[in-house]
Structure formats: structure tokens, C-alpha cells
Amino acid sequence: MNTTLAMPSAATGLQAWSLPIEGMSCASCVARVEKALGAVTGVTDASVNLATEEASVRTDGSVALASLRAAIEKAGYAVGQAHLEGEAPTAGDGAAAAAPRRRSNEGWRVATAALLSTPLVLPMAGLLFGSDWMLPGWLQLALATPVQFWLGARFYRAGWKALKAGAGNMDLLVALGTSAAYGLSLYLLFAQAGHGMPPHLYFEASAVVVTLFDVPTVLVTVTATDPVLVSAGARTLSCVALTYCT
């Protein structure tokens, strides 16, 4: 959510700004934001923390806050309520009060997607015990569609922003890969309908990958007060997702 940023009362001497950033999901996002901020004339240092979704920017005092905001937004990300380091952020826009509700909503969203994805994975687990069965294609479609376009909507949004910025990120890769699996399954479902043998579908791949890749993001949001735990958890869950993709 974009928020109107207050300008500092003085522009003399060194300044250190703290800027909340929304929309980052991986290390390439961090590098892109740091590069964009570092390119602003007058910025002496810029570092971004993915766990806390916050950028720390030091300037020579000649940089307008609007310039920092413009650089971040041009890179494809949103800026929250900025403040000078050492000063408490204002809560005029109600962002602080809305944060717990946003974390709760994201948690329920991922939990729902996991519940929808679980039935798609069960037939694969059955193979371990010699059971070869699969859900009807229409049921797989019904389970995978809300995961792909509801939970997965953020991957499409972030991937499109990265594409417009002339860059690539994990969101774009997830959107392309899962869309390919979903689209092929949809084609096979209708193209081979009524041909006797049920087609081999990949709805479970698209749904599970979307769910797994969104878990680290929610973990970061919910437990951002412990960056070490967040970083370790995000790396572990991302590795699980990459293993599944392979």
C-alpha cells in the first residue's frame, strides 16, 4: 500500500532513512532495490533486509525522500511509511494497526491453499504402497484453480512488475512454471475427454509449488521479529519447493 511520505524539516548533514518496502520475495529483489537506491545521487549507502522488509538508506542530506521513493517504485516495489532512523514511525495511516490483520489473513490464505493441495498429493503418496489411482480430472481442476489464481495471484502481480522493470525474479519463474503445468493440464483434460484412458495431469504440481513458495513469504511476515529464524526457515522451505520442482 502506498503511503504519503513526510519530508524532513532539515536537509543539512548526513541523514539515515528507514523505508518499509512491500513486494520483495527473494535475494534478487533485495539486490534490485539496493541497486536502485544506490543509483540515486547523494545516497552514500543502502542496505535492504528481506526478513523485516525494510531498507536502511544513508544520504549526504541533499536527497529528497521523494527521490528515494521514486527509485524503489520504478524498480517495481511499494513503499510504506518512511522515517528517520532513531525516530518512531508515525501511525497516521493506520498501517501499524492493520499489520496484525494482514498477517492473519495471509496465514489463513496459505492454510486454505495447503488444504486444497493435499488431496492432489495423496495419490502420489499411494504409489509408495502400490496403489495406482488418481482423482477425477474435474475435481483436480476445482482444487487447483483457486490455489493457482487466488494464492498465486501475488506471483503474477510481482512477476509482471519485474517484467516491466526489465528484470526477472523468483515470482516470475513461479508464475511461468506453474502456469505451464496448469495450462497443459487444462488442455489435456478437455482435449482427451471421452477417449477412454484418463490423461496424465499436472494440477498437483502447480498447486503444491504455489503453496510451498508462498510459505516462506508468510513466515517472514509473521515472524519478522526474529530474522535469523525467518532466514533459516525461508531457505529450508524454498529448498523443499525447489526439490519438488526438480
Side-chain angles (χ1 to χ4, degrees):
M1 178 181 65
N2 290 335
T3 306
T4 303
L5 305 178
M7 295 294 295
S9 58
T12 59
L14 299 179
Q15 290 180 329
W17 289 99
S18 180
L19 299 95
I21 301 175
E22 299 177 8
M24 298 187 300
S25 61
C26 60
S28 66
C29 297
V30 171
R32 188 176 305 113
V33 173
E34 288 180 342
K35 182 178 179 180
L37 288 170
V40 177
T41 303
V43 171
T44 58
D45 180 69
S47 61
V48 178
N49 190 319
L50 177 61
T52 59
E53 297 182 298
E54 195 167 62
S56 178
V57 184
R58 300 185 182 279
T59 75
D60 59 10
S62 64
V63 182
L65 187 54
S67 299
L68 301 178
R69 175 184 177 180
I72 295 172
E73 292 180 343
K74 185 177 180 181
Y77 304 93
V79 185
Q81 182 76 20
H83 60 92
L84 288 169
E85 291 187 357
E87 295 183 359
T90 61
D93 63 343
R101 183 170 60 255
R102 181 167 64 92
R103 290 195 295 266
S104 177
N105 290 340
E106 290 177 348
W108 277 110
R109 193 160 51 91
V110 173
T112 302
L115 289 175
L116 292 172
S117 301
T118 299
L120 296 169
V121 181
L122 289 179
M124 299 176 62
L127 293 175
L128 299 175
F129 305 96
S131 176
D132 187 9
W133 64 282
M134 61 184 297
L135 296 174
W138 64 267
L139 182 55
Q140 294 186 51
L141 174 64
L143 291 169
T145 298
V147 178
Q148 183 71 33
F149 299 108
W150 174 45
L151 178 69
R154 77 167 190 87
F155 294 110
Y156 289 103
R157 289 193 298 266
W160 175 244
K161 289 180 180 179
L163 203 59
K164 288 195 299 182
N169 59 10
M170 186 61 69
D171 297 304
L172 182 59
L173 292 176
V174 171
L176 289 174
T178 58
S179 294
Y182 181 92
L184 176 60
S185 300
L186 191 62
Y187 168 77
L188 292 175
L189 178 62
F190 289 99
Q192 299 185 19
H195 288 189
M197 290 294 292
H200 187 77
L201 306 176
Y202 304 92
F203 286 121
E204 90 288 342
S206 66
V208 172
V209 169
V210 166
T211 302
L212 285 179
F213 269 96
D214 213 30
V215 169
T217 302
V218 175
L219 181 64
V220 167
T221 303
V222 174
T223 59
T225 53
D226 191 343
V228 175
L229 177 62
V230 168
S231 179
R235 287 197 303 269
T236 301
L237 290 168
S238 293
C239 287
V240 171
L242 288 171
T243 301
Y244 186 89
C245 292
T246 305

